[in-house]
Amino acid sequence: MIPFFPRWIWSWAVFLPLVAGSVNAAALLSLHHGGVTHLTGISTEGAIGLGSGDVALLLHAVGVIALFTVSCAFSAWLARGPRWIPSVAAGALLLAVAALLAVASSVIAGTPWLGVMICAAAMGLQNGTTSLVTGAVLRTSHLTGMFTDLGIALGQRTWRGPVDRRRVAVCFTVVASFVCGATGGTLLYLRWHAFALIASAVVSAGVGVLTLALARRHATPVV
C-alpha cells in the first residue's frame, strides 16, 4: 500500500511525466530509434547491436544507459534529505534538468546523438530525484511499473480483493501525463523541431521553482 503523502507530490506526478514523455518523443523523432527514458528498450537495442555487430547502435545504447545511471547517482549524492520533504537540493536538481534540456535543444538539430545523450542525463536526474524523495513510489520516466500495478489492481478487483486506490490514482495520473507529454512533444517537434525541448525545459523549471518555494516554506518555523 502506498503511504499517505503530501499533496504537493501531485504536482510532480502530473508535470514531470509530461516532461519525460515529451523529451522521449523528441529523442525518438531525432534518431528514429531508441529514446532516453525506458532503459529496457535501450538495453535491448544494445544487445541487438552486440549480436548483429552494429557498433553504432551498441555505442548509442551504452551512452544513454551510462549517462542516465550516472545522473541518477548524482541525484542520490546531492538529494540526501528525508522522504516526502521538499528540499532545496531536489528543486536545484529539477532546475538542472531544465538547463540540460535547454542545452539539448540547441545541439540536437545539428548533432542528434549528442542532444539525445544530454536528454538521457536530464531524465536520469529527474527520475533519480523523484525516486529518492518518494521512496520509489513515484517514477516519472517510464510506465512499465505503472501498467503492472494497474494490471494487478484490475486482477484484484475481479475477485473483490483489496485494491490500493491511492496507487491506482498515482498510476493513472503518471500514465495519462506521460502520454499527453509524448503527444504534445510530437506535435511541437513536428512544427518546431528541436525547440520543442524548450517547452519541456520551461515545465521542468517551473516545477523546480515550485519545489524550492515549498522547501523554503517547509523550513520556515511556525511562530
Side-chain angles (χ1 to χ4, degrees):
M1 301 288 285
I2 291 182
F4 286 101
F5 51 78
R7 286 180 295 178
W8 66 267
I9 289 293
W10 288 108
S11 65
W12 281 17
V14 170
F15 292 109
L16 295 182
L18 193 77
V19 170
S22 180
V23 170
N24 203 48
L28 282 163
L29 290 167
S30 295
L31 290 179
H32 305 292
H33 68 82
V36 293
T37 65
H38 49 286
L39 296 194
T40 301
I42 302 298
S43 297
T44 304
E45 283 199 347
I48 291 172
L50 185 63
S52 65
D54 189 336
V55 177
L57 186 61
L58 175 61
L59 291 177
H60 166 78
V62 169
V64 170
I65 292 169
L67 284 167
F68 190 100
T69 304
V70 168
S71 294
C72 287
F74 182 77
S75 68
W77 175 76
L78 188 61
R80 308 175 191 178
R83 293 175 181 174
W84 307 113
I85 301 297
S87 66
V88 172
L93 284 166
L94 293 177
L95 290 177
V97 171
L100 286 171
L101 293 178
V103 172
S105 72
S106 68
V107 302
I108 198 170
T111 316
W113 69 268
L114 179 58
V116 167
M117 294 299 159
I118 296 172
C119 287
M123 292 300 95
L125 277 183
Q126 176 178 296
N127 203 50
T129 301
T130 57
S131 296
L132 284 163
V133 174
T134 67
V137 168
L138 181 62
R139 296 178 183 269
T140 58
S141 71
H142 55 279
L143 303 182
T144 302
M146 299 296 168
F147 279 116
T148 300
D149 289 344
L150 288 173
I152 290 172
L154 180 61
Q156 291 173 326
R157 185 67 175 174
T158 58
W159 54 271
R160 297 184 179 179
V163 175
D164 188 345
R165 296 181 183 274
R166 194 178 301 109
R167 183 180 292 277
V168 170
V170 169
C171 291
F172 265 121
T173 301
V174 171
V175 168
S177 181
F178 189 97
V179 172
C180 287
T183 303
T186 299
L187 294 173
L188 290 175
Y189 187 89
L190 292 176
R191 183 167 183 176
W192 289 308
H193 301 291
F195 289 107
L197 289 172
I198 293 295
S200 299
V202 169
V203 174
S204 184
V207 179
V209 170
L210 173 63
T211 303
L212 288 173
L214 290 168
R216 181 177 180 183
R217 179 181 175 184
H218 187 270
T220 301
V222 178
V223 294

